Amino acid sequence: MNEWFAKLLERIKGLWSKWTLVQKLILVGIVVAAVAGVAALFAVSSAPSAVPVIDSAVTDQAARDRIVTRLNQEGVHATVSSTGVVSVPDEATARRMRAILIREDLVPSGTDPWALFDRDRWTITDFERNVNLRRSITQMVTEHVKALDDVDDANVTLVMPEKTLFQADQNPVTASVIITPKPGSDILSNRKKIEGIQKILKFAVEGLKDDNIVVTDTNGNILNDFAGMQDLDRLELSKREQKLITSLEAQYRATVLKALQQIYTSDRVRDLNLKISMDMSKKAIQTEEFYPITIKPDNPETPYDDSEFAKSITRSQSNSSTKWEGTGFNPEGPSGVEGQTPPAFKDMSNLYGKVEQQTLTQNEEINKRNIQEERSPTIDRVSVSVNIDGRWQLKYDDKGRPVAKPNGSMEREYVPIPDDELRKAQALVQDAIGYNRNRGDSVTVQNIQFDRSRQFADEDAAFLRQKQFQQTVLIALAGLAVLLISFIVFRVISRELERRRRLREEELSRQHQMLRESALRQAEEEGVEVSMSVEERKRMELQENAINMAKEHPEDVAQLIRTWLLEE
């Protein structure tokens, strides 16, 4: 056996040594592919069968991550396929996880609630079908409630008991809804919105009645207890009525204030008190009206009213006349029986007389109309009071400066508003609010001074500060002028002293120069050699250079002398 293995190895080595590099690589690739295929076959055959929790693929990455995280919290190993289907090891675990996901609202919104019936198995029972039906209806109703704009989240629980033989033994269908309102929503206090949720449940679940529906918020407060909300409805109605009155008062107040403040400025018309009394009761009024017949309508092109009216028009007419002449006879009945003739006519019995009677019957046609109207609400009374302040004017002296009091404040004069101007303002307010004397409206416009002590104190303080600033500026300017004059005088005096000192030094230098020159001349005349000092030689050289410069450049020297003169 060992010899056979040894021969086989030698043969393989011989063939390996004879093959080229390409053949060797092909053989290695075939071996690697065979090993990988065998490993994959073992992995697939040994993997347990998985059951999907939700038959449809979950395409939303965030929703899929929440589902997998919740499954991991329950200790269930979940796998996600490449298409997005979440699976668990067995059917029992999948059924339990579906109930948890539906209860905690982790099923994606795009998942069909009736997808539970898409699985077609031989072993499914009627109980499972009923459970799936209840779960599907619950999920669909939950999605309907959550689709409302005022609901942020909803949790719906339906109890659908099994049907019994007798109706008396049948338990009713019940529903419990817990809603989480969105921020700023009024669904907790809005009765119509709660009734809308009840109707959604009633139309979605067969046999569900209002008495078996409970709608609560997250704090456990029952929202559909309408029998105990009568007082709340009355208060809500009162709030709405008061809100209507307040908004109407604000509208009138803004209109009148804007008109007055544009005329008298906002500082003189600061506020306006307005009160509107309204009748919120609903009234049905039926009126029967008779009005004249228009014969000729008014011509709008004429400046006057040229219409013609008639109270009535004769439709038919009949005349009748009666004449009677002779003795009047009033029978009294059988003898011995008192007659029925009135006492006033007894004295006229058996008298001769003459009667003429004319009767005119005329049918007139008139206009008539019946008016039926419902009025709610109506304004009973409007009362307005507004105060307009007069004008304050400063007093000025002959020079146009404000007159100051001994305490430093400015003297003012109050100018009240004339009475005719107040009447015009009152008429303006009356027209703005639709004044009606018959309903008792009241408009009061007064001229009362405002308390402006703080304003005047601030103005006086500003005036004093301005005066102090002006005085400070004047003093500073005066001091600056004195300082400037002193500097100019000092400069003039110093220049004059400097000029005198320079003239004196020049005079001394000139005298010394004359003495030296005279001494040199005498020495030359006497033939005596005179030794000059270093300083004298330098001075002589400078003088010679200056003389030579003046000869060569006379214009530059003249400009230099002009500059010296200007500086002095």
Side-chain angles (χ1 to χ4, degrees), residues 320-336:
S320 62
S321 61
T322 304
K323 292 183 180 181
W324 176 81
E325 183 176 357
T327 302
F329 176 72
N330 294 323
E332 296 183 356
S335 61

Side-chain angles (χ1 to χ4, degrees), residues 94 102-103 108 112 127 136-137 190 217 277 282 286 295-296 338 383 395 443 468 528:
I102 293 175
R103 184 183 66 219
D112 185 9
F127 175 77
S136 298
I137 294 175
N190 195 322
D217 58 2
S277 300
K282 189 175 182 180
Q286 184 174 1
I295 299 177
K296 178 183 177 182
E338 186 177 358
S383 58
K395 290 185 177 181
V443 175
Q468 292 176 357
V528 180

Side-chain angles (χ1 to χ4, degrees), residues 422-438:
L422 288 177
R423 286 192 294 270
K424 293 179 182 179
Q426 183 176 1
L428 177 65
V429 176
Q430 290 177 353
D431 293 339
I433 66 172
Y435 177 79
N436 188 354
R437 180 181 297 178
N438 296 329

